[in-house]
Amino acid sequence: MRETPVLISGGGPVGLVLALSLSRLGVRSLLVNDRKHTTTHPKLDVVNCRSMELFRQLGLAEKVRAAGNPDYANQYCSIAASANGPVYGVLSDQHLMYQPVDAGRRLIEACTDGALPLEPMQRIAQINLEPVLFSEAQADPNIDVRFGWRLVDFTQDASGVSAVIESVDGGAPEQVRAQYIAGCDGPKSRVRTSLGISYDGTPDLVGELFIVHFRSDELAKLYPNNEPYWHTWIARPGYSGLLVSPDASRNDYVLHRPFAPRPGETLKELIDQAIGTKVEYEIVQSGPWRPQFLVSEKYMEGRAFIVGDAAHQYMPTGGLGMNTGVAEAHNLAWKLAACIQGWGGRALLTSYESERLPIGRRNRDHVKVNAATVFEVQFGKPEYLLEDSSRGAQARLQLSQELERKVSRLYESFGVEIGYIYRDSPVIVRDQAPEPIDDTCGYVPTTWSGARLPSGMLEDGTAVFDHLSYGAFSLLVCNAEPEEYADLLMAARHVDMPINVVEINSPNLIALYERKLILVRPDQHVCWRGDSLPSDCSALVNRVRGA
């Protein structure tokens, strides 16, 4: 029988991130994936700011960037009659999200109020992201990567999980004994269905959509500087859709349509109408798909956990599918490691559901509003939209304004990306200050307990986040003497809870962080803050480690 601390079912980006996160903490895992190779479909087109912060902590950010959109390339979004125009409006430089990565980094370095993430987003297709994560996992001695293998069944008891896996090519099944199992195995998750966990939400709410993946070396010339815009929303009488360029340096494009080709309409006609002029291209694949707005009723049962698309399915209006899953994998990994290493308690594991399920619902609701906004803007365009007349000009101006006022919420949503707070977690000390407003679009930096610590730079120019270990809690000290926090360090070390001290010396950060002492978890979320220690430091330590 094969023994492993953690068995992971599913080797997409989320499963691979979970395995790599565990390995960074010294925990071995066995990962099975029924596909033999990484995906051949572009799928996602963005790794958002928060995911890039997490990849940075895992030492993967630059490898991900090297595989994606060049640092100098735009990340613009437009609304137009076609790729060839006329263009009604462009979202370009007014927000960090649209800036090329190198320009975004300069904005972040100059930011002193914590209002920006540490990392810009990265425009990249999943066909280019997965090989980076797969290669990293395959080279990692802590990860047994089994592509071409699948989970058959599993049972759990008080001390662990017994599972059966098998090769998709046949042969004898293999018995596996693990301490925990994680289902990162997508919408049809074997782990979720075995646990009998249902989805919350109405399936097929918007019906069936249609997607075409094609390649063209000529399409880029229709855009300024031969750099395709990231998204081109197409809106004109009789035609609507979204043309996506996951990476300006490659020739892959994805066309999303609200319905399949009409009788007698060919795929070529569909693409030609989106492009608006004749260019050469090759159709790679196409087909219908059904976007969902579903979240699982539970995220765990005993020693089994579900993560990523196994736990939720979102329409990609906001890019929150995989990105939500990456944050879940990062959240779960350090908690599993803490329990495997002996210093974490059971409440640390149950906090995975307490923390991430509300965020899953919050993100689903944000995506649903985004979808409704896009449909409202794209459909029902007047027949005179493209007329060379005053009413045509007014209609085009209105579309440009709607892009800035409405569609922009898909992109300018730091609140949903970095502003989420674990409000009712059993392993976070409830803050006594007034609760921050929950805004999925806007972001106001706060160290309120449960929030992601605002990013900032120390006086030596290094990022605070780069001093926060994934393998330990961090005590941020703002103008406090060692004797003021010695009891907390002693209480933590008494139960082998790893903890480091980070001295904050920047006046801007001292003001931003609001308290003299801030306890930050391995996942960069605040779990307690105060100007002085509580009377019982052992109780505080036991709370945050789930004991």
Side-chain angles (χ1 to χ4, degrees), residues 206 293 315 317 366-376 410:
V206 299
F293 305 94
M315 188 172 181
T317 42
H366 178 77
V367 163
K368 191 182 292 186
V369 173
N370 287 350
T373 298
V374 167
F375 289 148
E376 176 190 348
L410 276 72

Side-chain angles (χ1 to χ4, degrees), residues 106-116 455-457:
R106 290 193 292 273
L107 289 176
I108 288 169
E109 289 173 1
C111 179
T112 58
D113 62 0
L116 295 181
S455 172
M457 300 292 176

